[in-house]
Amino acid sequence: TKLFSDSIFDFKTYNVNQIEYSLIDNFNLIILDELKSIPNSLASKLKQYIIGGHTLFIFPNENTEKESYNQFFKSINVDFLKKWIKADREVEVINYQHPIFQSVFAKKTENMNLPKTQGSFLIKQNISAQNRDILSFSDQSPFLSEYLFESGRVFLTLSDLSHNNSNFPEHALFVPCLYNAAIMKNSYDLLYHNITSN
């Protein structure tokens, strides 16, 4: 709520059982925050939402029903959740080239303090996925990745917003990641333009 209090945003929260499906396409960004499962009706609507050029940001957690998520992920070409591990892990790699960090960094910084987790998911690769890692652990496994599907995109964070499992919500990178996900263009710029008599 604090993050999206800026007047350029119209921020709304819904319980999973109270979602107004008819309004979903009106939002530039939808955040799934620690849903235990993704109902089939919601999964179907979100798939159409992404195909329409919108952005979905997902925070699973320890109690997430992997089968429910993985069924949805298969339909939108996202990597699969494998298992939740309780272990201290530190993000060590940052993809400065990713558009989500456009205008965030003036220069690359050595020894930057990056997010840490005490609980997170491992993933199983989906061969259909078109993904770019944004933040990664030292073993090159992702913490935050972007997946392209049709005209839209999905951001998947492999930990949640709980203070017990991650310091990402308090980390300086949290704000630009969510803020820029909300304002990124719905589709990538064309690589070319035709110059005509006009």
Side-chain angles (χ1 to χ4, degrees):
T1 305
K2 291 177 184 174
L3 177 60
F4 293 113
S5 61
D6 191 303
S7 61
I8 69 168
F9 297 114
D10 180 13
F11 179 72
K12 291 181 169 43
T13 60
Y14 296 92
N15 184 290
V16 69
N17 300 318
Q18 300 170 329
I19 297 171
E20 297 181 54
Y21 282 39
S22 61
L23 300 180
I24 281 181
D25 290 334
N26 296 340
F27 297 104
N28 289 334
L29 172 68
I30 290 178
I31 301 169
L32 300 185
D33 181 18
E34 303 180 38
L35 295 189
K36 188 168 184 181
S37 64
I38 302 176
N40 290 337
S41 55
L42 178 59
S44 175
K45 186 63 181 175
L46 289 175
K47 180 178 179 180
Q48 293 308 312
Y49 171 82
I50 298 163
I51 289 172
H54 297 97
T55 302
L56 180 66
F57 212 119
I58 303 174
F59 292 95
N61 76 354
E62 185 174 4
N63 299 315
T64 290
E65 293 179 0
K66 297 191 302 264
E67 295 77 13
S68 171
Y69 273 70
N70 289 341
Q71 185 177 345
F72 175 51
F73 288 171
K74 184 176 182 180
S75 74
I76 57 170
N77 296 346
V78 169
D79 287 328
F80 305 119
L81 300 179
K82 194 172 178 182
K83 67 175 181 177
W84 180 270
I85 57 169
K86 277 286 193 184
D88 290 344
R89 304 172 79 197
E90 293 187 26
V91 171
E92 291 191 8
V93 181
I94 180 169
N95 180 359
Y96 288 96
Q97 305 305 315
H98 194 279
I100 208 165
F101 292 134
Q102 186 175 355
S103 304
V104 173
F105 298 104
K107 61 180 180 178
K108 290 184 180 180
T109 306
E110 297 296 324
N111 301 319
M112 183 188 296
N113 173 27
L114 292 170
K116 300 174 183 173
T117 66
Q118 293 77 47
S120 58
F121 270 106
L122 298 176
I123 62 161
K124 179 181 176 185
Q125 199 167 19
N126 180 345
I127 58 171
S128 301
Q130 296 181 50
N131 64 301
R132 296 189 288 185
D133 293 341
I134 300 171
L135 298 171
S136 303
F137 295 111
S138 56
D139 62 1
Q140 303 302 313
S141 63
F143 169 71
L144 171 61
S145 295
E146 175 197 31
Y147 297 83
L148 303 180
F149 181 68
E150 299 284 344
S151 300
R153 56 172 62 90
V154 177
F155 291 98
L156 174 63
T157 304
L158 292 169
S159 190
D160 58 25
L161 299 177
S162 161
H163 306 295
N164 298 326
N165 291 321
S166 169
N167 72 346
F168 188 45
E170 292 88 37
H171 197 279
L173 289 178
F174 181 74
V175 172
C177 282
L178 265 79
Y179 194 95
N180 288 340
I183 63 175
M184 283 174 82
K185 291 184 179 178
N186 288 348
S187 59
Y188 288 101
D189 292 334
L190 288 172
L191 296 177
Y192 64 91
H193 291 279
N194 290 327
I195 299 176
T196 63
S197 59
N198 291 332

